[in-house]
Structures are given as C-alpha cells and as structure tokens.
Amino acid sequence: MRIVGLSTYMQRVGDRPRLLVRVRTDEGIDGWGEAYNHGPDHALVPYLDYLFDFLVGKDPTRVEYLNQLLLRTMRFPQGAIGLAAIAAIDHALWDISAKALGVPVYALLGGAVRDRVPLYCGLYAAPDPVECRDLTDELHESNGFTAFKLHPYRGDLHDRRWGDVVRESADYFRAIRETCNNAWDFAFDAHAKIFEPIKAVQLGNALAPWEPLFIEEPIRPEHIPAWSRLRSELTVPLATGESLYSPNEFLALLAAGGADIVQPDICVVGGLSQMRRIATIAEAHFVTVSPHNPMGPLATAHNVHFAAACSNFALLEYKPDPTSWCPDPYVPVDGHLDLRPDRPGWGVDIDEEALATDDYVRWDRRVPLRPDGSLAFV
C-alpha cells in the first residue's frame, strides 16, 4: 500500500474554522485528520501540500517513521502551523493503518485500558449562577455531565483594582456552589490573561475554599520557573499545556514541578505519535493528562483513542458544537464517550458530499486594551 494523494477541506465547527485532511492510498483506504487552526487559517493548506511531497509513494502504515520524517524536514524545531499540519497527517496515517487491519486505532496502541472516556463540558463563559444551574442541570439530564469549565472573570480585568477582580471571582464561585448541584465539579480557565505570577496565585487561592477541579493556564507559558512558583504557592490543582508544542517543553515544565495536570492538544503537538510521548513523560512525574479539545468531532475521535489507551488520562474537554460533515460523532452518555470496538480506524464517518460545500468562517481573536492604551493579553 502506498500514499497517492492528500486533500484539504476548510470547514467550520460551530463558529470556528477547522481544517480536515484526507490522505489517499493506492488500495482505496483513506485516512482522516483534523488540524488545529492557529491562524492564519489558510496558511495550513500550502504547508500540507509541501509536506505531501515527502509522503507520496511511501507506506502509510510506517506511522512512526513518517511522523519523524516530517518533523525532521526542518532544520529548526517546528512551530504551531507546522505541528498542526503534521498532526493532521499523523492522524490520517493512524486511521489508514487501523482500517487496513480492521481494528480501532486504540488497538494499535496496546489496547484499551478503560471501557469509556470521562468528559468535562466546556461552557467557555461565566453565566450568572441561576443560569449556570439551569444549564448544568440540562447538560446533566441530556448527556450525564457532572464536570464543567467556566471563566473566572466577571468583567474587564483592567478597569478596576486587581483586588476587586479577585474578590468578584471568589464571590462568583461561592454563588455557583450555593446555587448549583454540589455534586458538580467546576474548573476555571484563566486564558493566560494574567502577566504577574503573584496575581495568578491570588486568584487561584481565592477560589480554593470552593474546591475547583483545577485552574487552567493563568499565565503565559514561556517562563518555566514561574510555573514552578505557581504550583508551589497555589492551593488548587494547576493545569496547563495547550500552548506547549513538544515533549521537550512538557519535560521542562514537569521537571520544574510546574503542573498537576497537563493539557496537550493532540492536534497541536504533532499528533497521536507525539501525544503518547508527552503522556509517558507526565506519567513518570505522577501527573495526569486532560487534553485540550475545543475542537470538532474528528479531533474528539482522535482524543478518544488516545484516552482509551493512556493509563494516566484523567478527563477530556468536550465542546458540543454541530457540524455538517460528521453524521455519527461520539456523543456523550452518562458524561462519557463509549468506545466503538466494532468500528475500524477512528470510528466516525466523514460526509464528503457535505465537504463539497465551502462552509468556512473566519474567526479572529480580539486583543484587549488596558485603560492607558497598552495591549493586554488575549
């Protein structure tokens, strides 16, 4: 079996753009992958076309060899766009390899260590407590969710003194606990908006009395010693990793004692082949993996198979957005995604007729301004 073609499809999931990749073989077995769109979205397409020149005529079942080949095509370490492109190809190769054998992808990883994959639901907002109660009750009733992720901020971070921001966040979480079902877990994503580590410590510890599941990425990822300080001074679990790209970066973070939970994105770090390395490093540091996954149903499928075979996996982020191109996504039942042992590859179908319609939507992050006109962090 040989690789003969690569196609890209710029689509959407909810209100966000997503790029799908299909790798074709001379035996009619195709594989699918989803790339993370860091922006500019269309930069991925020529990059993927460039990488295809290294793949054409190769055996697609040599997944590790081809993943390493693509990583080593560049003299310098790959960055965001390069690794997202490699991730999509890597996933397509795993899909082909599993389909050729008639087994799910996780069977190629040593088999399942769990029967289903536990989830938390990303709400990506800070709804008022009564609204939050109604929404989480509804999500529990429909899909069995018992864990959710919120924003900790109740307004602009920069238009009043920091002590008020911290107090408002603490008051908000107290109200959430008093209003919502006490059985629910709530995590908080701080979105790397805080520059000073001491302020991140103040915010996290203010939330501590009401037992957050974790506080996620309160500061930028670049300076590893700051993460060591955070973890030593916080009294809540510290999670991070969506902005880190390589096993080496995760090794540096964990060797410094910088996280309780790591959150690599399988569509960012170079695919399942690299994700497994990161998980092994985390396991050696007694740290669990809770993948970043605000993505589409194909990326969720990639994560399901990773989680199925990963001993130190904890929870998978899940964003319930509709698509036109995946008719049979993994759907939460009792707060979990069930494995599909009778379906080869990723276990989902892609509607190619739907992909024939250009459903691209542009989405740009807005950089906030402080009151003095200087730029804050996204």
Side-chain angles (χ1 to χ4, degrees), residues 132 146 149 161 170 253 261 274 305 363:
C132 187
T146 60
K149 187 164 73 177
R161 70 183 188 89
L253 173 73
I261 303 162
Q274 298 302 312
H305 288 258
W363 182 83

Side-chain angles (χ1 to χ4, degrees), residues 356-373:
T357 301
D358 183 356
D359 196 29
Y360 170 70
V361 56
R362 177 166 174 160
W363 182 83
D364 294 312
R365 297 184 185 276
R366 298 179 180 178
V367 181
L369 290 176
R370 299 185 178 95
D372 65 358

Side-chain angles (χ1 to χ4, degrees), residues 37-107:
N37 291 73
H38 295 86
D41 300 324
H42 291 285
L44 279 165
V45 176
Y47 199 91
L48 284 156
D49 291 339
Y50 171 79
L51 291 178
F52 175 68
D53 289 341
F54 296 91
L55 300 172
V56 64
K58 300 291 196 304
D59 178 353
T61 65
R62 297 183 68 188
V63 182
E64 173 68 13
Y65 172 82
L66 293 177
N67 184 272
Q68 288 297 309
L69 175 63
L70 297 181
L71 286 171
R72 299 181 192 191
T73 60
M74 299 300 171
R75 170 66 179 83
F76 299 99
Q78 297 274 8
I81 291 177
L83 286 170
I86 291 171
I89 292 172
D90 184 74
H91 293 147
L93 300 179
W94 281 107
D95 195 23
I96 291 168
S97 299
K99 287 175 178 175
L101 296 173
V103 298
V105 169
Y106 65 76

Side-chain angles (χ1 to χ4, degrees), residues 133 164 204 227 255 374:
R133 179 198 63 198
D164 284 338
W227 287 92
S374 63

Side-chain angles (χ1 to χ4, degrees), residues 164-195:
D164 284 338
V165 174
V166 171
R167 177 182 51 77
E168 289 169 0
S169 296
D171 290 345
Y172 173 60
F173 193 18
R174 182 182 66 244
I176 290 292
R177 277 284 179 230
E178 292 170 348
T179 306
C180 298
N181 191 320
N182 195 54
W184 302 165
D185 266 318
F186 290 98
F188 290 91
D189 187 350
H191 293 289
K193 290 179 179 289
I194 305 169
F195 180 71

Side-chain angles (χ1 to χ4, degrees), residues 94-122:
W94 281 107
D95 195 23
I96 291 168
S97 299
K99 287 175 178 175
L101 296 173
V103 298
V105 169
Y106 65 76
L108 304 183
L109 308 178
V113 299
R114 54 181 47 83
D115 299 322
R116 55 185 188 160
V117 176
L119 307 170
Y120 71 85
C121 185

